[in-house]
Short mmCIF file of all heavy atoms in Angstrom, two decimals:
data_model
loop_
_atom_site.label_atom_id
_atom_site.label_comp_id
_atom_site.label_asym_id
_atom_site.label_seq_id
_atom_site.Cartn_x
_atom_site.Cartn_y
_atom_site.Cartn_z
N LEU E 241 -58.04 15.73 40.06
CA LEU E 241 -59.00 14.84 39.42
C LEU E 241 -60.29 14.77 40.24
O LEU E 241 -61.40 14.78 39.67
CB LEU E 241 -58.41 13.44 39.27
CG LEU E 241 -57.11 13.31 38.46
CD1 LEU E 241 -56.71 11.84 38.36
CD2 LEU E 241 -57.26 13.90 37.07
N ALA E 242 -60.16 14.70 41.55
CA ALA E 242 -61.33 14.62 42.42
C ALA E 242 -62.20 15.86 42.28
O ALA E 242 -63.44 15.75 42.18
CB ALA E 242 -60.90 14.44 43.87
N LYS E 243 -61.60 17.02 42.23
CA LYS E 243 -62.37 18.26 42.09
C LYS E 243 -63.02 18.37 40.72
O LYS E 243 -63.94 19.17 40.53
CB LYS E 243 -61.47 19.47 42.35
CG LYS E 243 -61.06 19.63 43.80
CD LYS E 243 -62.27 19.88 44.71
CE LYS E 243 -61.86 20.14 46.15
NZ LYS E 243 -63.03 20.35 47.02
N HIS E 244 -62.54 17.57 39.77
CA HIS E 244 -63.20 17.49 38.47
C HIS E 244 -64.12 16.27 38.40
O HIS E 244 -64.41 15.75 37.33
CB HIS E 244 -62.14 17.46 37.36
CG HIS E 244 -61.53 18.81 37.10
ND1 HIS E 244 -60.63 19.39 37.97
CD2 HIS E 244 -61.71 19.71 36.09
CE1 HIS E 244 -60.28 20.58 37.50
NE2 HIS E 244 -60.91 20.80 36.38
N ASN E 245 -64.55 15.84 39.60
CA ASN E 245 -65.59 14.81 39.75
C ASN E 245 -65.21 13.45 39.17
O ASN E 245 -66.07 12.72 38.69
CB ASN E 245 -66.91 15.30 39.14
CG ASN E 245 -67.41 16.56 39.81
OD1 ASN E 245 -67.25 16.72 41.03
ND2 ASN E 245 -67.97 17.47 39.04
N TYR E 246 -63.92 13.14 39.25
CA TYR E 246 -63.44 11.86 38.76
C TYR E 246 -63.34 10.91 39.95
O TYR E 246 -62.49 11.10 40.84
CB TYR E 246 -62.09 12.02 38.07
CG TYR E 246 -61.63 10.78 37.34
CD1 TYR E 246 -62.43 10.18 36.37
CD2 TYR E 246 -60.39 10.22 37.61
CE1 TYR E 246 -62.00 9.05 35.69
CE2 TYR E 246 -59.95 9.08 36.93
CZ TYR E 246 -60.77 8.51 35.98
OH TYR E 246 -60.35 7.38 35.31
N VAL E 247 -64.18 9.91 39.99
CA VAL E 247 -64.31 9.02 41.15
C VAL E 247 -62.98 8.39 41.55
O VAL E 247 -62.66 8.30 42.74
CB VAL E 247 -65.36 7.92 40.86
CG1 VAL E 247 -65.24 6.79 41.88
CG2 VAL E 247 -66.76 8.49 40.91
N LEU E 248 -62.20 7.95 40.57
CA LEU E 248 -60.95 7.25 40.91
C LEU E 248 -59.94 8.19 41.58
O LEU E 248 -59.08 7.73 42.33
CB LEU E 248 -60.34 6.62 39.66
CG LEU E 248 -61.17 5.50 39.03
CD1 LEU E 248 -60.43 4.87 37.86
CD2 LEU E 248 -61.55 4.43 40.04
N GLY E 249 -60.05 9.49 41.33
CA GLY E 249 -59.20 10.44 42.06
C GLY E 249 -59.50 10.35 43.55
O GLY E 249 -58.60 10.29 44.39
N TYR E 250 -60.79 10.32 43.90
CA TYR E 250 -61.19 10.17 45.30
C TYR E 250 -60.75 8.82 45.86
O TYR E 250 -60.29 8.74 47.01
CB TYR E 250 -62.71 10.29 45.41
CG TYR E 250 -63.22 11.71 45.45
CD1 TYR E 250 -63.98 12.22 44.41
CD2 TYR E 250 -62.94 12.54 46.54
CE1 TYR E 250 -64.47 13.52 44.44
CE2 TYR E 250 -63.42 13.83 46.59
CZ TYR E 250 -64.18 14.32 45.54
OH TYR E 250 -64.66 15.60 45.59
N ASP E 251 -60.91 7.78 45.08
CA ASP E 251 -60.57 6.45 45.59
C ASP E 251 -59.08 6.33 45.90
O ASP E 251 -58.70 5.68 46.88
CB ASP E 251 -60.99 5.38 44.58
CG ASP E 251 -62.51 5.19 44.55
OD1 ASP E 251 -63.20 5.72 45.45
OD2 ASP E 251 -63.00 4.50 43.63
N TYR E 252 -58.24 6.97 45.08
CA TYR E 252 -56.80 6.93 45.37
C TYR E 252 -56.44 7.82 46.54
O TYR E 252 -55.49 7.52 47.30
CB TYR E 252 -55.99 7.29 44.12
CG TYR E 252 -55.68 6.09 43.26
CD1 TYR E 252 -56.60 5.61 42.33
CD2 TYR E 252 -54.47 5.41 43.39
CE1 TYR E 252 -56.33 4.49 41.55
CE2 TYR E 252 -54.19 4.30 42.62
CZ TYR E 252 -55.12 3.83 41.71
OH TYR E 252 -54.85 2.72 40.96
N LEU E 253 -57.18 8.90 46.75
CA LEU E 253 -56.95 9.71 47.95
C LEU E 253 -57.30 8.90 49.20
O LEU E 253 -56.62 9.00 50.22
CB LEU E 253 -57.79 10.99 47.89
CG LEU E 253 -57.33 12.05 46.88
CD1 LEU E 253 -58.34 13.19 46.82
CD2 LEU E 253 -55.95 12.59 47.25
N TYR E 254 -58.34 8.10 49.10
CA TYR E 254 -58.72 7.20 50.21
C TYR E 254 -57.59 6.20 50.50
O TYR E 254 -57.19 6.01 51.66
CB TYR E 254 -60.01 6.48 49.85
CG TYR E 254 -60.28 5.23 50.66
CD1 TYR E 254 -60.55 5.30 52.02
CD2 TYR E 254 -60.26 3.98 50.04
CE1 TYR E 254 -60.80 4.14 52.76
CE2 TYR E 254 -60.51 2.83 50.77
CZ TYR E 254 -60.77 2.91 52.12
OH TYR E 254 -61.00 1.77 52.85
N VAL E 255 -57.04 5.61 49.45
CA VAL E 255 -55.94 4.65 49.62
C VAL E 255 -54.74 5.31 50.26
O VAL E 255 -54.13 4.77 51.20
CB VAL E 255 -55.56 4.02 48.26
CG1 VAL E 255 -54.27 3.20 48.39
CG2 VAL E 255 -56.68 3.15 47.72
N HIS E 256 -54.39 6.52 49.77
CA HIS E 256 -53.20 7.20 50.27
C HIS E 256 -53.39 7.78 51.67
O HIS E 256 -52.42 8.18 52.31
CB HIS E 256 -52.77 8.30 49.29
CG HIS E 256 -51.99 7.77 48.12
ND1 HIS E 256 -50.62 7.59 48.14
CD2 HIS E 256 -52.40 7.35 46.90
CE1 HIS E 256 -50.22 7.11 46.98
NE2 HIS E 256 -51.27 6.94 46.20
N SER E 257 -54.62 7.81 52.15
CA SER E 257 -54.85 8.27 53.52
C SER E 257 -54.69 7.11 54.51
O SER E 257 -54.98 7.26 55.70
CB SER E 257 -56.26 8.86 53.65
OG SER E 257 -57.25 7.82 53.59
N GLY E 258 -54.22 5.98 53.99
CA GLY E 258 -54.12 4.79 54.83
C GLY E 258 -55.48 4.15 55.03
O GLY E 258 -55.76 3.57 56.08
N TYR E 259 -56.34 4.29 54.01
CA TYR E 259 -57.70 3.74 54.03
C TYR E 259 -58.54 4.33 55.17
O TYR E 259 -59.33 3.64 55.79
CB TYR E 259 -57.66 2.21 54.14
CG TYR E 259 -56.87 1.56 53.03
CD1 TYR E 259 -55.51 1.23 53.22
CD2 TYR E 259 -57.44 1.30 51.78
CE1 TYR E 259 -54.78 0.65 52.18
CE2 TYR E 259 -56.71 0.72 50.76
CZ TYR E 259 -55.38 0.40 50.96
OH TYR E 259 -54.64 -0.16 49.96
N GLN E 260 -58.35 5.64 55.39
CA GLN E 260 -59.07 6.31 56.47
C GLN E 260 -60.10 7.31 55.97
O GLN E 260 -61.22 7.34 56.47
CB GLN E 260 -58.07 7.03 57.40
CG GLN E 260 -57.14 6.11 58.16
CD GLN E 260 -57.89 5.16 59.06
OE1 GLN E 260 -58.79 5.56 59.80
NE2 GLN E 260 -57.55 3.88 59.00
N ASP E 261 -59.73 8.13 55.00
CA ASP E 261 -60.58 9.25 54.59
C ASP E 261 -61.67 8.83 53.61
O ASP E 261 -61.38 8.34 52.51
CB ASP E 261 -59.73 10.35 53.94
CG ASP E 261 -58.75 10.98 54.91
OD1 ASP E 261 -58.92 10.77 56.13
OD2 ASP E 261 -57.81 11.67 54.46
N ILE E 262 -62.91 9.01 54.03
CA ILE E 262 -64.07 8.75 53.18
C ILE E 262 -64.63 10.09 52.75
O ILE E 262 -64.74 11.03 53.54
CB ILE E 262 -65.14 7.95 53.96
CG1 ILE E 262 -64.63 6.55 54.25
CG2 ILE E 262 -66.43 7.86 53.16
CD1 ILE E 262 -64.35 5.73 53.03
N PHE E 263 -65.01 10.19 51.48
CA PHE E 263 -65.49 11.45 50.94
C PHE E 263 -66.97 11.32 50.54
O PHE E 263 -67.32 10.49 49.71
CB PHE E 263 -64.66 11.85 49.71
CG PHE E 263 -63.20 12.00 50.00
CD1 PHE E 263 -62.34 10.91 49.89
CD2 PHE E 263 -62.67 13.22 50.40
CE1 PHE E 263 -60.98 11.03 50.15
CE2 PHE E 263 -61.31 13.36 50.68
CZ PHE E 263 -60.46 12.26 50.55
N ASP E 264 -67.81 12.15 51.14
CA ASP E 264 -69.23 12.13 50.79
C ASP E 264 -69.43 12.41 49.31
O ASP E 264 -70.33 11.84 48.69
CB ASP E 264 -69.99 13.17 51.62
CG ASP E 264 -70.08 12.79 53.10
OD1 ASP E 264 -69.93 11.59 53.41
OD2 ASP E 264 -70.30 13.69 53.93
N LYS E 265 -68.60 13.29 48.76
CA LYS E 265 -68.73 13.63 47.34
C LYS E 265 -68.45 12.41 46.47
O LYS E 265 -69.09 12.22 45.43
CB LYS E 265 -67.77 14.76 46.97
CG LYS E 265 -67.96 15.30 45.56
CD LYS E 265 -69.32 15.98 45.40
CE LYS E 265 -69.49 16.57 44.01
NZ LYS E 265 -70.82 17.20 43.84
N ALA E 266 -67.51 11.59 46.88
CA ALA E 266 -67.19 10.38 46.12
C ALA E 266 -68.39 9.44 46.09
O ALA E 266 -68.71 8.84 45.05
CB ALA E 266 -65.98 9.67 46.73
N ILE E 267 -69.07 9.30 47.23
CA ILE E 267 -70.27 8.47 47.29
C ILE E 267 -71.35 9.06 46.38
O ILE E 267 -72.03 8.34 45.65
CB ILE E 267 -70.76 8.33 48.74
CG1 ILE E 267 -69.72 7.56 49.56
CG2 ILE E 267 -72.12 7.65 48.80
CD1 ILE E 267 -70.01 7.51 51.05
N GLU E 268 -71.49 10.35 46.42
CA GLU E 268 -72.47 11.04 45.56
C GLU E 268 -72.19 10.78 44.09
O GLU E 268 -73.11 10.63 43.28
CB GLU E 268 -72.42 12.54 45.86
CG GLU E 268 -73.40 13.38 45.06
CD GLU E 268 -73.23 14.86 45.36
OE1 GLU E 268 -73.07 15.22 46.54
OE2 GLU E 268 -73.27 15.66 44.40
N LEU E 269 -70.90 10.69 43.72
CA LEU E 269 -70.51 10.48 42.32
C LEU E 269 -70.51 9.00 41.93
O LEU E 269 -70.25 8.68 40.77
CB LEU E 269 -69.13 11.08 42.08
CG LEU E 269 -69.04 12.61 42.14
CD1 LEU E 269 -67.58 13.05 42.17
CD2 LEU E 269 -69.77 13.25 40.96
N GLY E 270 -70.76 8.13 42.90
CA GLY E 270 -70.90 6.71 42.56
C GLY E 270 -69.73 5.83 42.92
O GLY E 270 -69.52 4.79 42.29
N SER E 271 -68.98 6.16 43.98
CA SER E 271 -67.89 5.30 44.41
C SER E 271 -68.44 4.16 45.27
O SER E 271 -68.84 4.36 46.42
CB SER E 271 -66.85 6.08 45.23
OG SER E 271 -65.90 5.19 45.80
N ASP E 272 -68.46 2.97 44.70
CA ASP E 272 -68.94 1.81 45.46
C ASP E 272 -68.00 1.50 46.61
O ASP E 272 -68.44 1.09 47.69
CB ASP E 272 -69.12 0.60 44.55
CG ASP E 272 -67.83 0.16 43.89
OD1 ASP E 272 -66.96 1.01 43.61
OD2 ASP E 272 -67.69 -1.06 43.63
N ILE E 273 -66.70 1.69 46.38
CA ILE E 273 -65.72 1.40 47.43
C ILE E 273 -65.99 2.21 48.68
O ILE E 273 -66.03 1.70 49.80
CB ILE E 273 -64.29 1.68 46.91
CG1 ILE E 273 -63.90 0.68 45.83
CG2 ILE E 273 -63.27 1.64 48.07
CD1 ILE E 273 -62.57 1.00 45.16
N GLN E 274 -66.22 3.50 48.49
CA GLN E 274 -66.37 4.37 49.66
C GLN E 274 -67.73 4.20 50.33
O GLN E 274 -67.85 4.35 51.54
CB GLN E 274 -66.08 5.82 49.25
CG GLN E 274 -64.68 5.94 48.67
CD GLN E 274 -64.06 7.31 48.79
OE1 GLN E 274 -64.36 8.07 49.70
NE2 GLN E 274 -63.15 7.62 47.87
N LEU E 275 -68.75 3.85 49.55
CA LEU E 275 -70.05 3.55 50.17
C LEU E 275 -69.95 2.26 50.98
O LEU E 275 -70.50 2.17 52.08
CB LEU E 275 -71.13 3.43 49.11
CG LEU E 275 -72.55 3.13 49.63
CD1 LEU E 275 -73.00 4.19 50.63
CD2 LEU E 275 -73.54 3.02 48.47
N LYS E 276 -69.23 1.28 50.48
CA LYS E 276 -69.03 0.02 51.22
C LYS E 276 -68.31 0.27 52.54
O LYS E 276 -68.69 -0.24 53.59
CB LYS E 276 -68.22 -0.97 50.38
CG LYS E 276 -68.98 -1.61 49.24
CD LYS E 276 -68.04 -2.53 48.45
CE LYS E 276 -68.71 -3.07 47.20
NZ LYS E 276 -67.80 -3.89 46.37
N VAL E 277 -67.22 1.05 52.46
CA VAL E 277 -66.43 1.32 53.66
C VAL E 277 -67.26 2.10 54.68
O VAL E 277 -67.25 1.79 55.88
CB VAL E 277 -65.15 2.09 53.31
CG1 VAL E 277 -64.41 2.51 54.58
CG2 VAL E 277 -64.25 1.24 52.44
N SER E 278 -67.99 3.09 54.20
CA SER E 278 -68.84 3.88 55.09
C SER E 278 -69.90 3.00 55.75
O SER E 278 -70.18 3.12 56.96
CB SER E 278 -69.50 5.00 54.29
OG SER E 278 -70.28 5.82 55.14
N SER E 279 -70.47 2.08 54.98
CA SER E 279 -71.47 1.15 55.52
C SER E 279 -70.86 0.22 56.57
O SER E 279 -71.44 -0.03 57.63
CB SER E 279 -72.08 0.32 54.39
OG SER E 279 -72.69 1.13 53.43
N ARG E 280 -69.68 -0.31 56.24
CA ARG E 280 -69.02 -1.23 57.17
C ARG E 280 -68.68 -0.55 58.49
O ARG E 280 -68.82 -1.13 59.56
CB ARG E 280 -67.75 -1.80 56.53
CG ARG E 280 -67.07 -2.87 57.37
CD ARG E 280 -65.79 -3.39 56.74
NE ARG E 280 -66.04 -3.97 55.43
CZ ARG E 280 -65.60 -3.47 54.29
NH1 ARG E 280 -64.87 -2.36 54.31
NH2 ARG E 280 -65.86 -4.05 53.15
N ARG E 281 -68.24 0.70 58.40
CA ARG E 281 -67.85 1.42 59.62
C ARG E 281 -69.05 1.63 60.54
O ARG E 281 -68.94 1.42 61.76
CB ARG E 281 -67.21 2.76 59.25
CG ARG E 281 -65.81 2.61 58.68
CD ARG E 281 -65.19 3.94 58.32
NE ARG E 281 -63.85 3.76 57.77
CZ ARG E 281 -63.10 4.76 57.31
NH1 ARG E 281 -63.55 6.01 57.35
NH2 ARG E 281 -61.90 4.51 56.82
N CYS E 282 -70.17 2.05 59.97
CA CYS E 282 -71.34 2.24 60.85
C CYS E 282 -71.87 0.90 61.33
O CYS E 282 -72.38 0.78 62.45
CB CYS E 282 -72.41 3.07 60.16
SG CYS E 282 -73.29 2.27 58.80
N GLY E 283 -71.72 -0.15 60.49
CA GLY E 283 -72.17 -1.47 60.90
C GLY E 283 -71.37 -2.01 62.06
O GLY E 283 -71.92 -2.69 62.96
N ASN E 284 -70.08 -1.72 62.08
CA ASN E 284 -69.21 -2.20 63.16
C ASN E 284 -69.56 -1.61 64.52
O ASN E 284 -69.23 -2.18 65.56
CB ASN E 284 -67.75 -1.91 62.83
CG ASN E 284 -67.21 -2.82 61.74
OD1 ASN E 284 -67.73 -3.91 61.53
ND2 ASN E 284 -66.17 -2.37 61.05
N GLN E 285 -70.22 -0.45 64.52
CA GLN E 285 -70.60 0.17 65.79
C GLN E 285 -72.12 0.35 65.89
O GLN E 285 -72.63 1.22 66.60
CB GLN E 285 -69.90 1.53 65.94
CG GLN E 285 -70.08 2.47 64.76
CD GLN E 285 -69.33 3.78 64.93
OE1 GLN E 285 -68.84 4.10 66.01
NE2 GLN E 285 -69.25 4.55 63.85
N PHE E 286 -72.84 -0.50 65.15
CA PHE E 286 -74.28 -0.34 65.03
C PHE E 286 -74.98 -0.33 66.38
O PHE E 286 -75.88 0.49 66.62
CB PHE E 286 -74.86 -1.46 64.15
CG PHE E 286 -76.26 -1.22 63.70
CD1 PHE E 286 -76.53 -0.44 62.60
CD2 PHE E 286 -77.32 -1.80 64.40
CE1 PHE E 286 -77.84 -0.21 62.19
CE2 PHE E 286 -78.63 -1.58 63.99
CZ PHE E 286 -78.89 -0.79 62.89
N SER E 287 -74.59 -1.20 67.27
CA SER E 287 -75.29 -1.31 68.57
C SER E 287 -75.12 -0.05 69.42
O SER E 287 -75.93 0.21 70.32
CB SER E 287 -74.77 -2.53 69.34
OG SER E 287 -73.39 -2.39 69.61
N GLU E 288 -74.10 0.74 69.11
CA GLU E 288 -73.84 1.94 69.90
C GLU E 288 -74.50 3.18 69.31
O GLU E 288 -74.47 4.26 69.91
CB GLU E 288 -72.32 2.17 69.99
CG GLU E 288 -71.56 1.00 70.59
CD GLU E 288 -70.05 1.13 70.39
OE1 GLU E 288 -69.59 2.26 70.14
OE2 GLU E 288 -69.36 0.11 70.48
N LEU E 289 -75.10 3.06 68.12
CA LEU E 289 -75.68 4.21 67.44
C LEU E 289 -77.05 4.56 68.01
O LEU E 289 -77.79 3.70 68.50
CB LEU E 289 -75.82 3.92 65.94
CG LEU E 289 -74.54 3.60 65.16
CD1 LEU E 289 -74.89 3.27 63.71
CD2 LEU E 289 -73.56 4.76 65.21
N ASN E 290 -77.41 5.86 67.91
CA ASN E 290 -78.78 6.24 68.26
C ASN E 290 -79.70 5.86 67.10
O ASN E 290 -79.24 5.44 66.04
CB ASN E 290 -78.86 7.74 68.59
CG ASN E 290 -78.42 8.62 67.42
OD1 ASN E 290 -78.68 8.29 66.25
ND2 ASN E 290 -77.77 9.74 67.72
N GLU E 291 -81.01 6.00 67.28
CA GLU E 291 -81.97 5.53 66.29
C GLU E 291 -81.80 6.22 64.94
O GLU E 291 -81.90 5.58 63.89
CB GLU E 291 -83.40 5.72 66.82
CG GLU E 291 -83.78 4.77 67.95
CD GLU E 291 -83.52 3.31 67.56
OE1 GLU E 291 -84.02 2.87 66.50
OE2 GLU E 291 -82.81 2.61 68.32
N LYS E 292 -81.56 7.52 64.96
CA LYS E 292 -81.40 8.29 63.71
C LYS E 292 -80.19 7.76 62.94
O LYS E 292 -80.26 7.54 61.72
CB LYS E 292 -81.22 9.77 64.03
CG LYS E 292 -81.04 10.66 62.79
CD LYS E 292 -81.01 12.13 63.21
CE LYS E 292 -80.86 13.03 62.00
NZ LYS E 292 -79.56 12.89 61.32
N SER E 293 -79.09 7.54 63.64
CA SER E 293 -77.86 7.04 62.99
C SER E 293 -78.03 5.62 62.50
O SER E 293 -77.46 5.24 61.47
CB SER E 293 -76.68 7.13 63.97
OG SER E 293 -76.41 8.48 64.29
N LYS E 294 -78.83 4.83 63.22
CA LYS E 294 -79.08 3.46 62.77
C LYS E 294 -79.85 3.47 61.45
O LYS E 294 -79.56 2.68 60.54
CB LYS E 294 -79.87 2.69 63.83
CG LYS E 294 -79.03 2.24 65.02
CD LYS E 294 -79.86 1.45 66.02
CE LYS E 294 -78.98 0.97 67.19
NZ LYS E 294 -79.77 0.21 68.20
N ILE E 295 -80.84 4.36 61.33
CA ILE E 295 -81.59 4.47 60.09
C ILE E 295 -80.67 4.91 58.95
O ILE E 295 -80.75 4.37 57.83
CB ILE E 295 -82.77 5.45 60.24
CG1 ILE E 295 -83.81 4.90 61.20
CG2 ILE E 295 -83.40 5.77 58.88
CD1 ILE E 295 -84.46 3.60 60.72
N GLU E 296 -79.78 5.84 59.21
CA GLU E 296 -78.82 6.30 58.20
C GLU E 296 -77.91 5.16 57.76
O GLU E 296 -77.59 5.02 56.58
CB GLU E 296 -77.99 7.47 58.75
CG GLU E 296 -78.79 8.75 58.93
CD GLU E 296 -77.98 9.85 59.60
OE1 GLU E 296 -76.83 9.56 60.04
OE2 GLU E 296 -78.48 10.99 59.71
N CYS E 297 -77.51 4.35 58.73
CA CYS E 297 -76.65 3.21 58.42
C CYS E 297 -77.39 2.17 57.58
O CYS E 297 -76.87 1.66 56.59
CB CYS E 297 -76.14 2.59 59.72
SG CYS E 297 -74.87 1.32 59.48
N LEU E 298 -78.62 1.90 57.97
CA LEU E 298 -79.45 0.96 57.20
C LEU E 298 -79.72 1.48 55.79
O LEU E 298 -79.74 0.71 54.83
CB LEU E 298 -80.77 0.71 57.93
CG LEU E 298 -80.69 -0.11 59.23
CD1 LEU E 298 -82.02 -0.04 59.98
CD2 LEU E 298 -80.31 -1.56 58.93
N ALA E 299 -79.89 2.79 55.67
CA ALA E 299 -80.14 3.40 54.36
C ALA E 299 -78.94 3.17 53.44
O ALA E 299 -79.10 2.89 52.24
CB ALA E 299 -80.39 4.89 54.52
N LYS E 300 -77.74 3.25 53.97
CA LYS E 300 -76.53 3.00 53.17
C LYS E 300 -76.51 1.54 52.69
O LYS E 300 -76.14 1.27 51.55
CB LYS E 300 -75.28 3.29 54.00
CG LYS E 300 -75.05 4.76 54.29
CD LYS E 300 -73.84 4.97 55.18
CE LYS E 300 -73.67 6.44 55.54
NZ LYS E 300 -72.52 6.66 56.46
N ALA E 301 -76.91 0.64 53.58
CA ALA E 301 -76.92 -0.78 53.21
C ALA E 301 -77.94 -1.04 52.10
O ALA E 301 -77.65 -1.76 51.14
CB ALA E 301 -77.23 -1.63 54.43
N TYR E 302 -79.12 -0.45 52.22
CA TYR E 302 -80.14 -0.62 51.18
C TYR E 302 -79.70 0.04 49.87
O TYR E 302 -79.97 -0.48 48.77
CB TYR E 302 -81.48 -0.05 51.65
CG TYR E 302 -82.24 -0.98 52.56
CD1 TYR E 302 -82.59 -0.58 53.85
CD2 TYR E 302 -82.64 -2.25 52.14
CE1 TYR E 302 -83.30 -1.43 54.71
CE2 TYR E 302 -83.35 -3.11 52.97
CZ TYR E 302 -83.67 -2.69 54.26
OH TYR E 302 -84.36 -3.56 55.10
N ALA E 303 -79.04 1.19 49.97
CA ALA E 303 -78.54 1.89 48.77
C ALA E 303 -77.46 1.06 48.08
O ALA E 303 -77.42 0.97 46.85
CB ALA E 303 -78.00 3.26 49.15
N LEU E 304 -76.61 0.44 48.88
CA LEU E 304 -75.55 -0.41 48.33
C LEU E 304 -76.17 -1.60 47.58
O LEU E 304 -75.72 -1.98 46.49
CB LEU E 304 -74.65 -0.90 49.46
CG LEU E 304 -73.37 -1.63 49.09
CD1 LEU E 304 -72.42 -0.72 48.35
CD2 LEU E 304 -72.69 -2.18 50.35
N GLU E 305 -77.22 -2.14 48.15
CA GLU E 305 -77.91 -3.27 47.54
C GLU E 305 -78.57 -2.85 46.23
O GLU E 305 -78.49 -3.56 45.22
CB GLU E 305 -78.97 -3.78 48.53
CG GLU E 305 -79.56 -5.13 48.20
CD GLU E 305 -80.45 -5.62 49.34
OE1 GLU E 305 -81.41 -4.90 49.71
OE2 GLU E 305 -80.18 -6.71 49.86
N GLU E 306 -79.19 -1.68 46.24
CA GLU E 306 -79.91 -1.20 45.06
C GLU E 306 -78.97 -0.72 43.96
O GLU E 306 -79.16 -1.05 42.79
CB GLU E 306 -80.85 -0.06 45.47
CG GLU E 306 -81.57 0.62 44.31
CD GLU E 306 -82.54 -0.30 43.59
OE1 GLU E 306 -83.00 -1.29 44.20
OE2 GLU E 306 -82.84 -0.03 42.41
N MET E 307 -77.96 0.04 44.35
CA MET E 307 -77.09 0.68 43.36
C MET E 307 -76.00 -0.23 42.81
O MET E 307 -75.60 -0.13 41.65
CB MET E 307 -76.42 1.93 43.98
CG MET E 307 -77.37 3.08 44.22
SD MET E 307 -77.87 3.89 42.69
CE MET E 307 -76.34 4.63 42.16
N PHE E 308 -75.51 -1.14 43.68
CA PHE E 308 -74.32 -1.91 43.31
C PHE E 308 -74.51 -3.43 43.41
O PHE E 308 -73.54 -4.17 43.32
CB PHE E 308 -73.13 -1.48 44.17
CG PHE E 308 -72.78 -0.02 44.03
CD1 PHE E 308 -73.15 0.89 45.00
CD2 PHE E 308 -72.12 0.44 42.90
CE1 PHE E 308 -72.86 2.25 44.86
CE2 PHE E 308 -71.81 1.78 42.75
CZ PHE E 308 -72.19 2.69 43.74
N ASN E 309 -75.74 -3.84 43.64
CA ASN E 309 -76.01 -5.27 43.72
C ASN E 309 -75.09 -5.94 44.73
O ASN E 309 -74.55 -7.04 44.51
CB ASN E 309 -75.85 -5.92 42.33
CG ASN E 309 -76.41 -7.33 42.26
OD1 ASN E 309 -77.34 -7.67 42.98
ND2 ASN E 309 -75.84 -8.16 41.41
#
Side-chain angles (χ1 to χ4, degrees):
L241 301 183
K243 289 297 184 181
H244 284 74
N245 300 324
Y246 189 55
V247 165
L248 296 184
Y250 278 113
D251 287 349
Y252 271 84
L253 288 174
Y254 161 67
V255 171
H256 280 273
S257 72
Y259 303 95
Q260 294 300 313
D261 295 345
I262 292 297
F263 301 89
D264 290 339
K265 188 66 178 179
I267 294 173
E268 181 183 317
L269 291 168
S271 171
D272 61 328
I273 292 173
Q274 302 205 29
L275 181 57
K276 285 178 187 176
V277 173
S278 182
S279 301
R280 186 182 300 113
R281 287 180 180 177
C282 70
N284 286 337
Q285 52 182 348
F286 193 83
S287 62
E288 302 168 20
L289 300 177
N290 60 36
E291 288 307 307
K292 180 175 181 293
S293 296
K294 284 181 178 179
I295 293 297
E296 290 174 353
C297 188
L298 289 169
K300 290 177 183 178
Y302 280 121
L304 189 64
E305 193 172 57
E306 175 65 24
M307 289 288 292
F308 300 102
N309 193 28

